Structure formats: C-alpha cells, structure tokens
Amino acid sequence: MASLAFSSTSASPVALRGRPNKLAIGVAQSGACHVSARGSDRKARLFITRAVAVEKKVSRFEDVAMAPPDPILGVSEAFRACTNESKLNLGVGAYRTEDLQPYVLNVVKKAEKLMLEKGENKEYLPIEGLAAFNKATAELLLGADNHSIQSQRVATVQGLSGTGSLRLAAAFINRYCPNSKVLISSPTWGNHKNIFNDAGVPWSEYRYYDPKTVGLDFEGMIADIKAAPSGSFILLHGCAHNPTGIDPTPEQWTQIADVLEEKGHTPFFDVAYQGFASGSLDEDAFSVRLFVERGFEVFVAQSYSKNLGLYSERIGAINVICSSSDVANRVKSQLKRLARPMYSNPPVHGARIVANVVGDPNLFSEWKAEMEEMAGRIKNVRKRLYDNLSQKDKSGKDWSFILRQIGMFSYTGLNTSQSENMTNKWHMYMTKDGRISLAGLSLAKCDYLADAIIDSYHNVN
C-alpha cells in the first residue's frame, strides 16, 4: 500500500500555507505521519486542515495603532448609543428643523425634479467639474459683475465639498510654494490641521479667541500675523467662524487686509456658510470681496453642505483669484493636474443642483428665502438660550457673548471638564472645547440646555 509521508525535505501542505505553527513543523520534520493513501486520505486532509487552522497568522499591519475617534463624528456615535430621552446632539454642524429632524430644502427637491425631467446622463465630468457649476459658484462668491470674473482672473475647480477643496489647495501650496507656512486661527475647525499635515504643508497658529471676554483677541491676531514670515498663507473663516461663532467687524477686516498687504501674505478663505450665517449671500461674502477688491491674489474654498443642505453630495469648489488671466489659466491647469491622481473627477449630482438653483431666477429667489428662514431659526434659538441663561443664572454673569456670535455654532466658554459634565450628567453631546451647534437645538430644549450650562459652569472646576 502506498503511504503519505511528511518529512523535513518534503513540501508539506502545511509548509506551503504561510508560517506553520510549532505543532505542524514537528509533525512535518518527524516523518511520523504515515497514512494509507487508500483508507485514510480523509483523515490526512482533516489533520492538515486542523494544523493550519491553529497556526498563528502575523499581519504585516501588526504595528498599526488604533486611531482615536474623530472629535466631531465620535460625538454623533456616542449620541446614537445613548438611550436617555433628554439627550441632544450639539456636536455635528448639520441643520435641523424645530423638531430636530434633518431638512431637505424644497428648492433642492425642485432642482432634482428638473434634472429628472431633463433626463441628464451620468457621464464623467471634466477634471475641473461642471462648467455651469463653476461659473455659478464663482459669481455667487464674488458677484457676477466682479472685475476679477469679467477679466477671467478666477481659476475655479469643483472640489469634494469644503474639505476636498481645502486639500486640493494645500497640495498646490506644497508643490508650488514649498517654503511657505500656513497660519491657522486658534481655535479652528478640527480638520484644518489634519488637511495641511497630510498635504505636508507646515502650519502654525495665530491667536483668535479670548477666553476672558469669550470674544475676539484682535490684538493678538494682528500681532501674530505681523510676526509670521513674509509671504505666508493666512487661513481665514469668511463668516461664522467655526468653532467660536466670532467674526471680525468690517473695520477689523480692513485692518487685517492692511497687515496682510504690508507683510506680503496671501489670504486663504474657508467659506462654508455663505448665506447661512446672516441669511444674506452678499453680507456673508463681504470679507472675501474686500480682499479681492484690494487687489490680493486670494484662495477661497467653498462648500454647499450647509447653505443648500447638500451634506452628502460633497459639493464645493476651490477658487484662486489671480493677478491676470494668463496666471489663472496656468494655476487652473495645475489644480487639475493635482486632482487627476487624487480623485480623477468630481461627482455631478450636487453640481447640477447648485447650477440649477443659482441659474434659475425663480429657484434662486426661493433659495434665498429658505436660507433666511434657516438662519432665522438659529437666531431665534440663540436668543432664547441667552434669555434662559440670563433669567436662571443669579450669579450676575454676563451671557451676552452668545448674542454677539453668529452662525450655527456658539462657543460657550466651558472647559473640558465642564463639557464632559454636560455629556455625562445632562446628556448634551458636544465637543470638549465647549462648542455647541445651535442647529441641533430647538426652542423647546433651550430651558433644559440652560440648566446644564449653568450647572457645569458653576459647579465643575
């Protein structure tokens, strides 16, 4: 009878399966396994299967550490896991109705219906995106009659919402301004630092928030921008600063422009809330238009997540306002070159929604009315929260900074321990820097939130 024999010189089935364990090696080298080819093939296969099953596989990714949860998206995960009926998600920056439900704008529904009626296809867009969207978004940002648009000095490339547009600009800075630093406000949106880190762009912070006044540290901001190396990129929030909700006044914006001009810095705006902050598209674009009017070359990243509620469509743009049309053409060509290996070309659905809304006078008017309504709801919630805090807190603390802030966020002035008390005791899910999203708050919940803030502020060190 023929037999199967495993020896140190044979290519055993176990040895051919990655790293064999000690048991399998011992069996293979001893030659002790002699099995009848006719009667016990099944047993041999079973033995080999078991030996392989117990062998310890070592992953080539063994040294990959577990990443910490995202400070904002992690809040939403914790919120979903909570079963308390009083819970509130004040972390994510997404608009909610008074019933705290997600909201799809009526004008978006109409634009999508129009798209269906047209029977538009799903072919690839060019690398720079939908032409009608790029035209509409630049005109919305700067004004259709802006001289930079008329003289074709604006390089616009559709990006993957604000995040992707910022990342594309960061890659451009890394490649074509390799010795330049980006200055970022302290504090800022949590993803800004990640974007520049991953793009290999060095950054530092400039003072912005004054905890003593829960307001703008304007003197510190100006001093730090002046101290930055000449030719730096200064990242500025166009309106509704995230996370503080504190914006410079028009007069302060002019002084900021003076300093940037003096130092040869380049303004880099992140515009995520145009029309959603004040309810006016033009008012919220004031800062960007001021710098363009002053003759700066300007980077502007745009997003339509908030003002059109297109969160999951990932629709935005990077605009570079240049000194000439020739420079703009070359800049655009290189932005496209960077985008090609990064994501090839952008999605079309959200771009068509924006193009249809902005390009149709009736839909555009309806959109502005809906934006005013959304901004108005947040203003009402902000006022109600202030009233509740002022009435309930007998300490004499001035809570008026809440009214001076703008947009969907409010910086409460609560520290990490106090913010944790908000979550652990009161089930208010928020980031640990004290920021709350008023978009996730209803008028009916303001009273309860005021109790939580007062307790956390006065009773937690």
Side-chain angles (χ1 to χ4, degrees):
M1 293 176 61
S3 65
L4 276 173
F6 296 111
S7 70
S8 59
T9 58
S10 65
S12 74
V14 176
L16 295 174
R17 291 285 303 275
R19 296 183 179 180
N21 60 31
K22 292 180 180 179
L23 172 62
I25 292 172
V27 170
Q29 292 182 342
S30 69
C33 182
H34 294 274
V35 184
S36 167
R38 290 182 180 178
S40 301
D41 293 78
R42 182 174 177 277
K43 291 181 179 180
R45 289 195 299 270
L46 183 61
F47 171 80
I48 294 168
T49 300
R50 287 175 176 171
V52 172
V54 298
E55 71 179 69
K56 180 176 176 58
K57 299 278 188 179
V58 178
S59 171
R60 69 185 301 178
F61 311 118
E62 197 70 27
D63 294 331
V64 176
M66 178 65 71
D70 184 271
I72 296 176
L73 300 183
V75 171
S76 295
E77 292 175 4
F79 170 80
R80 286 191 289 269
C82 178
T83 58
N84 190 282
E85 293 182 356
S86 299
K87 67 178 183 178
L88 278 176
N89 187 353
L90 304 178
V92 65
Y95 182 80
R96 297 289 182 263
T97 65
E98 183 63 22
D99 295 328
L100 301 183
Q101 297 301 311
Y103 177 61
V104 179
L105 276 69
N106 291 323
V107 71
V108 168
K109 295 176 183 177
K110 292 181 179 180
E112 289 183 315
K113 182 180 179 181
L114 184 63
M115 289 160 57
L116 287 173
E117 291 173 351
K118 289 181 178 178
E120 292 172 312
N121 60 48
K122 302 294 184 181
E123 289 292 309
Y124 288 123
L125 285 178
I127 300 173
E128 68 267 29
L130 186 69
F133 165 79
N134 288 346
K135 179 177 184 295
T137 196
E139 291 180 352
L140 195 72
L141 177 68
L142 302 173
D145 59 349
N146 190 278
H147 184 263
S148 63
I149 292 178
Q150 294 177 343
S151 57
Q152 300 180 335
R153 292 188 290 112
V154 184
T156 300
V157 173
Q158 182 185 334
L160 305 182
S161 199
T163 302
S165 300
L166 287 161
R167 182 63 175 79
L168 190 57
F172 182 92
I173 292 171
N174 173 266
R175 181 167 296 184
Y176 297 103
C177 309
N179 298 317
S180 297
K181 176 184 283 190
V182 173
L183 264 70
I184 301 172
S185 68
S186 177
T188 192
W189 177 49
N191 218 13
H192 278 149
K193 297 175 183 178
N194 297 332
I195 289 168
F196 290 105
N197 278 338
D198 284 1
V201 177
W203 57 268
S204 61
E205 296 179 307
Y206 61 85
R207 283 169 283 178
Y208 194 86
Y209 172 68
D210 183 354
K212 295 179 181 178
T213 63
V214 195
L216 178 64
D217 182 0
F218 185 66
E219 291 183 2
M221 177 184 184
I222 292 297
D224 289 346
I225 293 175
K226 281 184 176 180
S230 296
S232 296
F233 288 82
I234 312 300
L235 187 66
L236 302 163
H237 298 228
C239 62
H241 182 274
N242 180 2
T244 67
I246 302 163
D247 286 351
T249 64
E251 294 74 22
Q252 289 171 331
W253 275 121
T254 299
Q255 293 178 60
I256 294 169
D258 290 340
V259 175
L260 265 68
E261 187 172 23
E262 174 189 333
K263 292 288 295 185
H265 296 326
T266 298
F268 185 166
F269 283 94
D270 185 357
V271 177
Y273 306 100
Q274 186 183 358
F276 191 76
S278 68
S280 167
L281 289 164
D282 293 328
E283 184 176 335
D284 291 345
F286 168 82
S287 58
V288 174
R289 295 178 185 182
L290 169 68
F291 279 77
V292 173
E293 184 180 342
R294 290 279 295 263
F296 284 90
E297 291 192 302
V298 185
F299 278 68
V300 188
Q302 289 173 281
S303 168
Y304 288 91
S305 293
K306 308 300 190 298
N307 57 12
L308 263 171
L310 300 177
Y311 303 98
S312 63
E313 298 293 351
R314 312 312 297 147
I315 178 64
I318 180 66
N319 305 269
V320 186
I321 295 88
C322 302
S323 59
S324 69
S325 59
D326 177 61
V327 173
N329 286 333
R330 285 185 275 123
V331 167
K332 185 173 182 177
S333 73
Q334 295 299 339
L335 287 171
K336 290 165 59 178
R337 184 182 180 188
L338 289 163
R340 174 60 172 157
M342 194 181 294
Y343 57 86
S344 192
N345 58 315
V348 70
H349 192 80
R352 282 180 176 152
I353 292 174
V354 175
N356 285 340
V357 169
V358 178
D360 184 295
N362 293 327
L363 292 180
F364 187 58
S365 296
E366 187 173 338
W367 177 39
K368 289 192 289 185
E370 283 195 86
M371 268 192 297
E372 289 179 12
E373 184 177 336
M374 290 191 293
R377 195 192 85 75
I378 293 176
K379 289 177 182 177
N380 290 338
V381 167
R382 187 182 289 278
K383 177 65 165 58
R384 178 70 64 84
L385 178 60
Y386 165 75
D387 290 342
N388 288 150
L389 286 168
S390 300
Q391 293 164 9
K392 289 172 173 286
D393 187 5
K394 306 303 180 184
S395 70
K397 177 176 173 56
D398 182 9
W399 295 97
S400 62
F401 63 84
I402 290 177
L403 296 179
R404 293 193 296 272
Q405 296 167 355
I406 190 173
M408 65 162 52
F409 298 115
S410 175
Y411 225 46
T412 60
L414 299 178
N415 62 32
T416 300
S417 297
Q418 293 164 340
S419 298
E420 288 176 345
N421 183 69
M422 292 280 289
T423 300
N424 298 335
K425 180 178 178 179
W426 295 89
H427 311 286
M428 301 285 107
Y429 289 85
M430 55 190 285
T431 52
K432 293 183 179 181
D433 58 3
R435 185 197 81 167
I436 59 174
S437 172
L438 298 178
L441 178 64
S442 65
L443 291 172
K445 293 284 189 176
C446 286
D447 186 73
Y448 181 71
L449 177 58
D451 288 337
I453 291 175
I454 292 170
D455 171 66
S456 301
Y457 181 79
H458 291 296
N459 298 326
V460 179
N461 292 328

